[in-house]
Amino acid sequence: MFIDKSEIEINEKFLDEGYIITDVSDIDLLSNIQDFFIKNIKNNFNNLEKEKNNLDILNGIHNYLEIKNLNNFRLNLINKMNDFKDLRKSYYLIAKNILDKIVGNELAMQMRVNLSIQMPNDDSSLLPIHADTWSGDSPYEVVVWIPLVDCFDTKSMYILRPSYIDEFNIAFKDKNVDDSDSLFEFFKDKVEWISIKYGQVLIFNQSLPHGNIVNQTKET
C-alpha cells in the first residue's frame, strides 16, 4: 500500500489528538440535509418565516420550543430523518475522503443516524463524561459528527486527549472518584472543547472520554 505524506500527517494527528476536523467533501449534500431539517421545523412552527436564514432558525429554535417538549421534538425529527431517502449515503459521502484516510474504505455504518439538540440552559439533554466503548461499542469504531450550526465552547462537546488516558484510567478506578460528575471535575481543565463550524465535519475516537455540559451560550 502506498501512503502519501498528507495521509501520514492526518493519521498522526488523529492518533495524537483523538480527532480530526476538516471541511465537508460536498457542501451541497450537507445543505440538502440542513434544508430537510428546516422544512420539518417550519412545519412545526408557523412563525419561523420571519427568520433570516437556516442558521438563524437553527440557532434560535429555543425561542419557539419549550424544553419540556424538546425530547419529543427531537425523536420526531430523528424518525423523519431516518426515513429520508439517501440520508445515510449522503452522511457517509460528506466524510468519505477523510474516513478513507483514517479508517479505510471497507466500512460498516450504523443503521440510524442520531441527532443532538442542546438548547441554552437545558440540563435535560446532557451526556456526562463517557466513552462509547463502556456500553459495548467496538474500539475500532470512529464517530462522524456533522454540525448543522457553528458549535463552540459549551455549545459543543469536549474530548480528553489520548495523552491523558492513562491518568484518566487510574482516576476511574479510584474509589474517591466514583461517578461521572467527579470524573469531569477532576479532568475539566484537561479536556478540549471542540470548535467546529457549519460546513465542517468532526471524526473522533469514541474510545476517548467525551461529553457535554449545560449550554451556557445564547444559541442552540
Side-chain angles (χ1 to χ4, degrees), residues 13-220:
K13 179 178 175 65
F14 183 78
L15 291 173
D16 181 54
E17 299 186 9
Y19 69 90
I20 291 285
I21 294 176
T22 188
D23 292 341
V24 301
S25 59
D26 191 326
I27 192 64
D28 290 335
L29 289 177
L30 178 56
S31 295
N32 289 339
I33 292 175
Q34 190 191 66
D35 287 343
F36 166 83
F37 280 99
I38 294 298
K39 178 182 177 181
N40 281 277
I41 289 171
K42 284 184 174 180
N43 287 338
N44 281 273
F45 305 101
N46 295 326
N47 55 345
L48 283 177
E49 296 297 334
K50 65 182 181 181
E51 295 287 359
K52 296 179 181 179
N53 55 47
N54 287 2
L55 288 177
D56 286 337
I57 291 173
L58 294 169
N59 279 317
I61 196 67
H62 55 277
N63 294 318
Y64 309 93
L65 178 65
E66 294 184 53
I67 289 177
K68 66 180 182 180
N69 299 322
L70 173 57
N71 195 50
N72 286 338
F73 177 77
R74 185 180 73 90
L75 291 176
N76 180 261
L77 282 178
I78 288 175
N79 288 331
K80 287 183 177 179
M81 75 180 190
N82 280 286
D83 289 335
F84 179 26
K85 187 176 184 297
D86 291 332
L87 172 73
R88 291 173 71 250
K89 181 179 180 181
S90 296
Y91 204 100
Y92 166 65
L93 290 176
I94 282 172
K96 183 181 186 303
N97 288 345
I98 193 70
L99 275 174
D100 286 355
K101 295 176 180 178
I102 294 175
V103 188
N105 60 7
E106 295 184 1
L107 303 174
M109 180 180 180
Q110 70 183 46
M111 291 301 297
R112 290 175 64 82
V113 178
N114 200 9
L115 172 69
S116 176
I117 303 174
Q118 299 296 134
M119 299 203 301
N121 304 312
D122 172 27
D123 62 0
S124 68
S125 307
L126 302 182
L127 282 174
I129 192 166
H130 69 288
D132 296 0
T133 49
W134 296 356
S135 56
D137 285 16
S138 168
Y140 300 103
E141 293 180 19
V142 297
V143 174
V144 176
W145 196 77
I146 302 176
L148 296 176
V149 294
D150 295 351
C151 296
F152 51 88
D153 296 333
T154 56
K155 188 186 173 188
S156 187
M157 59 168 275
Y158 60 79
I159 190 167
L160 189 69
R161 282 177 175 267
S163 57
Y164 293 113
I165 196 64
D166 289 340
E167 184 179 348
F168 181 89
N169 288 335
I170 293 172
F172 188 78
K173 296 176 183 179
D174 190 334
K175 293 181 179 179
N176 293 322
V177 186
D178 56 3
D179 58 43
S180 57
D181 289 339
S182 298
L183 277 173
F184 177 73
E185 285 299 315
F186 195 77
F187 285 94
K188 67 180 181 181
D189 294 331
K190 298 175 181 177
V191 300
E192 183 166 352
W193 289 93
I194 299 297
S195 181
I196 182 171
K197 296 180 178 180
Y198 172 74
Q200 295 181 312
V201 56
L202 164 71
I203 299 176
F204 70 91
N205 177 358
Q206 45 86 56
S207 298
L208 295 174
H210 57 280
N212 61 15
I213 63 173
V214 173
N215 175 10
Q216 298 170 356
T217 76
K218 297 180 179 180
E219 299 176 344
T220 294

